[in-house]
Amino acid sequence: MSIMRDSYALTISKGMRSMVGMIVTMLAARLMEKNSFGTYKQMLLITGFLSSIISAGLSTSVSYYYKNMSRDKQKVLITNSLIISLLISLISTMCIVILKDDIAQQFNNQNLSLYMFALAVYFFIITFFVFFDNVFISQGKAQMLSIINIAYTLTFCMVVGGAIYLKQDIFRILFSMAAVEFLRGFVLLALCIASGDVSARADWYSLKKQVIYCIPLGLTYLLQSINVYLDKFMVSSYFTPDIYAVYANGTADIPFVGMFTISVVTTALPTFSYMYNTENNKEGVFKLWGELTKNTAVFLYPIFWVLLFFSQSYILFLYSDKYIASIPIFIVFLMKLPLACTVFGNMLIVMNKKIYIVYNMAIGIIINIMLNLLLIKPFAMLGAVSAALITQILLVILQLFQIHRFSGIKFSQILPYGELGKILLISGIAGACAYMLSRVINIGVVWNLFVYGPLTIILAFAFYFLSGITTINEVLGRVKDHPMKNASKL
């Protein structure tokens, strides 16, 4: 019960953080010049890419070791982590400053070098404090962490949003972001010290062991991050910052969608593992996975059709008509959304084939680079986003064949493709009905999203009930129990 309560609290705080990030981006897109906004987005790209490589391994190592240690060793672990974090933050920050001109040249934006010191300060802060979330979660203090995160998001919105609103100066924006991040990190560190969770000494043997654990994880996250960010790097190197701004908005993550899917699948992962490895119940695992995927699709696919039919409304609402050129990019990017109804790599983890995830990421990078080089020149930004889409589709197919090979389950029985297709079709009919009605009764481009979007979802569920895909009681049960809790009960 406490695990689900903590998960629920963290989901709420992450949801708020995502919402605040979206609000700040909306404000920046409207008030900043395209070139400045593109530069701002490029700096976020740099920090996002580097932090995902450098700090993710350290955070994971804290979660891995913490609960298996005595109280004294837990204190030493946090001290060791502080030392490792300080070292990697200093080294990476120095590299940013030293290589500022090379980075600016690679990003086709000489203005970047002017802001690299401010960016280095911001990056140092987010990297140094990055592992404290994992400490609090490992200590069973997820609800306290959620409260701090909620306070942080509200402060971030006011301080950074205020800096953007008052004066669209990138230096001020970066330093305001750094100040809020430092305040949050300092509070987490102070609470750990006040609770006596930090040792006065380090243990060099365990520190070395922790570093050795982090290195392969860092390499894994490197491959993963390259796959995620490759198209954005390619567009940045080929085009000007104002064009990159258009691309970045068109390929921005859709709020809450990925978080919902990952929450559901991650919660059921221990059950998958137990059924597959302990009970040897392969058929049961794939039946459960299919049910989970179908349950997610029931909610996800109507959102896909809403965003597809009302893509213009979505882009104009978020970024204003300055970024109307982002719409075709967003439509292509959106084609990946139906695949987000599950996390395919998790089944390879369940089958103890983690190494194949690394192989797949390496293959994905090669395919992605080749497609980008092939498609960007003739199709510009549409070529880059198409390369990312084709790469993801090919990787999903590859993973399905690997799952079939290692499990012995027929390819046709791995997932309920027919039912998923039916859900996609029925929700698409609902979306088409709402869209046609919006053409007859047009209440404004943006307002159409907020009126006919919910109507699409209502019609989709009405069609679900009529076709027998799901029932009212099943839907109410999922909402009442929270999707993550429901996932663990399937």
Side-chain angles (χ1 to χ4, degrees), residues 1-11 142-143 263-264 266-268 481-489:
M1 181 66 71
S2 62
I3 293 174
M4 294 313 306
R5 187 171 61 246
D6 289 348
S7 299
Y8 189 42
L10 283 172
T11 301
Q143 291 184 52
S263 296
V264 172
T266 301
T267 303
D481 290 340
H482 183 262
M484 291 190 299
K485 183 176 181 180
N486 182 266
S488 64
K489 292 166 61 179

mmCIF file of all heavy atoms in Angstrom, residues 1-11 142-143 263-264 266-268 481-489:
data_model
loop_
_atom_site.group_PDB
_atom_site.id
_atom_site.type_symbol
_atom_site.label_atom_id
_atom_site.label_comp_id
_atom_site.label_asym_id
_atom_site.label_seq_id
_atom_site.Cartn_x
_atom_site.Cartn_y
_atom_site.Cartn_z
ATOM 1 N N MET A 1 0.828 -1.205 0.000
ATOM 2 C CA MET A 1 0.000 0.000 0.000
ATOM 3 C C MET A 1 0.862 1.254 0.000
ATOM 4 O O MET A 1 0.625 2.207 -0.724
ATOM 5 C CB MET A 1 -0.933 -0.018 1.215
ATOM 6 C CG MET A 1 -1.857 1.204 1.271
ATOM 7 S SD MET A 1 -3.052 1.278 -0.090
ATOM 8 C CE MET A 1 -4.132 -0.069 0.390
ATOM 9 N N SER A 2 1.908 1.269 0.832
ATOM 10 C CA SER A 2 2.765 2.453 0.911
ATOM 11 C C SER A 2 3.511 2.671 -0.403
ATOM 12 O O SER A 2 3.757 3.806 -0.796
ATOM 13 C CB SER A 2 3.765 2.316 2.062
ATOM 14 O OG SER A 2 4.616 1.213 1.848
ATOM 15 N N ILE A 3 3.876 1.573 -1.083
ATOM 16 C CA ILE A 3 4.574 1.702 -2.361
ATOM 17 C C ILE A 3 3.669 2.395 -3.378
ATOM 18 O O ILE A 3 4.085 3.308 -4.088
ATOM 19 C CB ILE A 3 5.019 0.320 -2.895
ATOM 20 C CG1 ILE A 3 6.091 -0.276 -1.981
ATOM 21 C CG2 ILE A 3 5.543 0.431 -4.325
ATOM 22 C CD1 ILE A 3 6.495 -1.677 -2.342
ATOM 23 N N MET A 4 2.393 1.972 -3.435
ATOM 24 C CA MET A 4 1.470 2.580 -4.381
ATOM 25 C C MET A 4 1.196 4.029 -4.010
ATOM 26 O O MET A 4 1.067 4.885 -4.881
ATOM 27 C CB MET A 4 0.161 1.777 -4.420
ATOM 28 C CG MET A 4 0.309 0.362 -4.970
ATOM 29 S SD MET A 4 1.263 0.270 -6.504
ATOM 30 C CE MET A 4 0.377 1.430 -7.522
ATOM 31 N N ARG A 5 1.083 4.307 -2.718
ATOM 32 C CA ARG A 5 0.839 5.682 -2.275
ATOM 33 C C ARG A 5 2.010 6.583 -2.653
ATOM 34 O O ARG A 5 1.828 7.705 -3.126
ATOM 35 C CB ARG A 5 0.606 5.708 -0.756
ATOM 36 C CG ARG A 5 0.185 7.067 -0.232
ATOM 37 C CD ARG A 5 -0.234 6.993 1.221
ATOM 38 N NE ARG A 5 0.849 6.549 2.076
ATOM 39 C CZ ARG A 5 0.853 5.400 2.729
ATOM 40 N NH1 ARG A 5 -0.167 4.553 2.629
ATOM 41 N NH2 ARG A 5 1.876 5.058 3.506
ATOM 42 N N ASP A 6 3.230 6.064 -2.456
ATOM 43 C CA ASP A 6 4.420 6.831 -2.834
ATOM 44 C C ASP A 6 4.480 7.041 -4.347
ATOM 45 O O ASP A 6 4.815 8.126 -4.824
ATOM 46 C CB ASP A 6 5.687 6.103 -2.373
ATOM 47 C CG ASP A 6 5.852 6.145 -0.855
ATOM 48 O OD1 ASP A 6 5.117 6.916 -0.204
ATOM 49 O OD2 ASP A 6 6.698 5.406 -0.339
ATOM 50 N N SER A 7 4.145 5.990 -5.109
ATOM 51 C CA SER A 7 4.154 6.108 -6.556
ATOM 52 C C SER A 7 3.144 7.147 -7.035
ATOM 53 O O SER A 7 3.411 7.936 -7.937
ATOM 54 C CB SER A 7 3.834 4.749 -7.208
ATOM 55 O OG SER A 7 4.793 3.796 -6.854
ATOM 56 N N TYR A 8 1.984 7.136 -6.381
ATOM 57 C CA TYR A 8 0.934 8.086 -6.740
ATOM 58 C C TYR A 8 1.390 9.509 -6.447
ATOM 59 O O TYR A 8 1.204 10.423 -7.254
ATOM 60 C CB TYR A 8 -0.330 7.748 -5.953
ATOM 61 C CG TYR A 8 -1.558 8.514 -6.390
ATOM 62 C CD1 TYR A 8 -1.825 8.722 -7.735
ATOM 63 C CD2 TYR A 8 -2.458 9.001 -5.448
ATOM 64 C CE1 TYR A 8 -2.955 9.407 -8.144
ATOM 65 C CE2 TYR A 8 -3.589 9.693 -5.845
ATOM 66 C CZ TYR A 8 -3.826 9.888 -7.192
ATOM 67 O OH TYR A 8 -4.936 10.584 -7.579
ATOM 68 N N ALA A 9 2.023 9.712 -5.280
ATOM 69 C CA ALA A 9 2.501 11.045 -4.902
ATOM 70 C C ALA A 9 3.563 11.544 -5.877
ATOM 71 O O ALA A 9 3.558 12.711 -6.291
ATOM 72 C CB ALA A 9 3.056 11.006 -3.486
ATOM 73 N N LEU A 10 4.483 10.650 -6.262
ATOM 74 C CA LEU A 10 5.539 11.043 -7.199
ATOM 75 C C LEU A 10 4.974 11.348 -8.584
ATOM 76 O O LEU A 10 5.428 12.263 -9.259
ATOM 77 C CB LEU A 10 6.578 9.925 -7.308
ATOM 78 C CG LEU A 10 7.552 9.822 -6.134
ATOM 79 C CD1 LEU A 10 8.401 8.572 -6.273
ATOM 80 C CD2 LEU A 10 8.428 11.054 -6.046
ATOM 81 N N THR A 11 3.955 10.590 -8.999
ATOM 82 C CA THR A 11 3.339 10.839 -10.298
ATOM 83 C C THR A 11 2.707 12.223 -10.337
ATOM 84 O O THR A 11 2.803 12.946 -11.332
ATOM 85 C CB THR A 11 2.277 9.763 -10.605
ATOM 86 O OG1 THR A 11 2.890 8.480 -10.605
ATOM 87 C CG2 THR A 11 1.644 10.006 -11.969
ATOM 88 N N ALA A 142 9.162 9.397 -0.198
ATOM 89 C CA ALA A 142 8.686 9.871 -1.493
ATOM 90 C C ALA A 142 7.656 10.980 -1.345
ATOM 91 O O ALA A 142 7.614 11.912 -2.157
ATOM 92 C CB ALA A 142 8.094 8.705 -2.284
ATOM 93 N N GLN A 143 6.828 10.897 -0.305
ATOM 94 C CA GLN A 143 5.807 11.932 -0.135
ATOM 95 C C GLN A 143 6.440 13.269 0.242
ATOM 96 O O GLN A 143 6.013 14.330 -0.237
ATOM 97 C CB GLN A 143 4.801 11.497 0.926
ATOM 98 C CG GLN A 143 3.932 10.319 0.462
ATOM 99 C CD GLN A 143 2.866 9.960 1.466
ATOM 100 O OE1 GLN A 143 2.107 10.812 1.908
ATOM 101 N NE2 GLN A 143 2.803 8.689 1.825
ATOM 102 N N SER A 263 4.607 4.540 -16.056
ATOM 103 C CA SER A 263 4.115 4.251 -14.705
ATOM 104 C C SER A 263 3.369 2.929 -14.666
ATOM 105 O O SER A 263 3.568 2.109 -13.774
ATOM 106 C CB SER A 263 3.197 5.390 -14.225
ATOM 107 O OG SER A 263 3.903 6.590 -14.107
ATOM 108 N N VAL A 264 2.501 2.705 -15.666
ATOM 109 C CA VAL A 264 1.705 1.476 -15.697
ATOM 110 C C VAL A 264 2.603 0.251 -15.877
ATOM 111 O O VAL A 264 2.522 -0.722 -15.126
ATOM 112 C CB VAL A 264 0.655 1.546 -16.828
ATOM 113 C CG1 VAL A 264 -0.046 0.202 -16.989
ATOM 114 C CG2 VAL A 264 -0.375 2.630 -16.529
ATOM 115 N N THR A 266 5.928 -0.078 -15.539
ATOM 116 C CA THR A 266 6.941 -0.254 -14.504
ATOM 117 C C THR A 266 6.346 -0.900 -13.260
ATOM 118 O O THR A 266 6.980 -1.742 -12.613
ATOM 119 C CB THR A 266 7.568 1.105 -14.136
ATOM 120 O OG1 THR A 266 8.154 1.668 -15.307
ATOM 121 C CG2 THR A 266 8.654 0.929 -13.078
ATOM 122 N N THR A 267 5.106 -0.525 -12.929
ATOM 123 C CA THR A 267 4.459 -1.107 -11.760
ATOM 124 C C THR A 267 4.224 -2.599 -11.934
ATOM 125 O O THR A 267 4.317 -3.368 -10.984
ATOM 126 C CB THR A 267 3.112 -0.397 -11.498
ATOM 127 O OG1 THR A 267 3.355 0.996 -11.342
ATOM 128 C CG2 THR A 267 2.448 -0.921 -10.237
ATOM 129 N N ALA A 268 3.918 -3.016 -13.159
ATOM 130 C CA ALA A 268 3.644 -4.435 -13.408
ATOM 131 C C ALA A 268 4.902 -5.249 -13.663
ATOM 132 O O ALA A 268 4.846 -6.475 -13.710
ATOM 133 C CB ALA A 268 2.701 -4.576 -14.601
ATOM 134 N N ASP A 481 -9.074 3.136 -8.987
ATOM 135 C CA ASP A 481 -7.912 2.474 -8.393
ATOM 136 C C ASP A 481 -6.593 3.123 -8.760
ATOM 137 O O ASP A 481 -5.561 2.770 -8.215
ATOM 138 C CB ASP A 481 -7.849 0.991 -8.823
ATOM 139 C CG ASP A 481 -8.958 0.183 -8.175
ATOM 140 O OD1 ASP A 481 -9.496 0.647 -7.162
ATOM 141 O OD2 ASP A 481 -9.262 -0.886 -8.699
ATOM 142 N N HIS A 482 -6.647 4.065 -9.744
ATOM 143 C CA HIS A 482 -5.426 4.695 -10.308
ATOM 144 C C HIS A 482 -4.770 3.686 -11.242
ATOM 145 O O HIS A 482 -4.648 2.507 -10.928
ATOM 146 C CB HIS A 482 -4.451 5.113 -9.210
ATOM 147 C CG HIS A 482 -3.242 5.818 -9.735
ATOM 148 N ND1 HIS A 482 -2.053 5.184 -9.944
ATOM 149 C CD2 HIS A 482 -3.063 7.108 -10.130
ATOM 150 C CE1 HIS A 482 -1.170 6.054 -10.406
ATOM 151 N NE2 HIS A 482 -1.758 7.217 -10.535
ATOM 152 N N PRO A 483 -4.389 4.073 -12.443
ATOM 153 C CA PRO A 483 -3.886 3.117 -13.446
ATOM 154 C C PRO A 483 -2.717 2.270 -12.968
ATOM 155 O O PRO A 483 -2.605 1.115 -13.320
ATOM 156 C CB PRO A 483 -3.482 4.019 -14.620
ATOM 157 C CG PRO A 483 -3.425 5.405 -14.072
ATOM 158 C CD PRO A 483 -4.398 5.450 -12.944
ATOM 159 N N MET A 484 -1.807 2.823 -12.165
ATOM 160 C CA MET A 484 -0.647 2.050 -11.719
ATOM 161 C C MET A 484 -1.084 0.954 -10.752
ATOM 162 O O MET A 484 -0.636 -0.172 -10.807
ATOM 163 C CB MET A 484 0.370 2.971 -11.047
ATOM 164 C CG MET A 484 1.037 3.932 -12.003
ATOM 165 S SD MET A 484 2.403 4.774 -11.235
ATOM 166 C CE MET A 484 1.600 5.620 -9.903
ATOM 167 N N LYS A 485 -2.015 1.314 -9.861
ATOM 168 C CA LYS A 485 -2.475 0.319 -8.905
ATOM 169 C C LYS A 485 -3.239 -0.777 -9.634
ATOM 170 O O LYS A 485 -3.102 -1.962 -9.365
ATOM 171 C CB LYS A 485 -3.380 0.995 -7.872
ATOM 172 C CG LYS A 485 -3.857 0.070 -6.775
ATOM 173 C CD LYS A 485 -4.656 0.850 -5.744
ATOM 174 C CE LYS A 485 -5.128 -0.082 -4.622
ATOM 175 N NZ LYS A 485 -5.906 0.655 -3.608
ATOM 176 N N ASN A 486 -4.066 -0.375 -10.608
ATOM 177 C CA ASN A 486 -4.832 -1.328 -11.368
ATOM 178 C C ASN A 486 -3.928 -2.272 -12.154
ATOM 179 O O ASN A 486 -4.210 -3.446 -12.276
ATOM 180 C CB ASN A 486 -5.761 -0.567 -12.318
ATOM 181 C CG ASN A 486 -6.640 -1.491 -13.127
ATOM 182 O OD1 ASN A 486 -6.294 -1.847 -14.245
ATOM 183 N ND2 ASN A 486 -7.777 -1.873 -12.586
ATOM 184 N N ALA A 487 -2.832 -1.754 -12.656
ATOM 185 C CA ALA A 487 -1.899 -2.571 -13.424
ATOM 186 C C ALA A 487 -1.375 -3.718 -12.601
ATOM 187 O O ALA A 487 -1.256 -4.841 -13.077
ATOM 188 C CB ALA A 487 -0.753 -1.708 -13.935
ATOM 189 N N SER A 488 -1.087 -3.470 -11.347
ATOM 190 C CA SER A 488 -0.523 -4.522 -10.500
ATOM 191 C C SER A 488 -1.555 -5.567 -10.100
ATOM 192 O O SER A 488 -1.217 -6.630 -9.609
ATOM 193 C CB SER A 488 0.074 -3.879 -9.235
ATOM 194 O OG SER A 488 -0.944 -3.272 -8.484
ATOM 195 N N LYS A 489 -2.856 -5.258 -10.340
ATOM 196 C CA LYS A 489 -3.912 -6.193 -9.954
ATOM 197 C C LYS A 489 -4.396 -7.037 -11.136
ATOM 198 O O LYS A 489 -5.213 -7.914 -10.972
ATOM 199 C CB LYS A 489 -5.106 -5.409 -9.387
ATOM 200 C CG LYS A 489 -4.827 -4.735 -8.065
ATOM 201 C CD LYS A 489 -5.873 -3.714 -7.700
ATOM 202 C CE LYS A 489 -7.244 -4.309 -7.551
ATOM 203 N NZ LYS A 489 -8.258 -3.308 -7.159
#
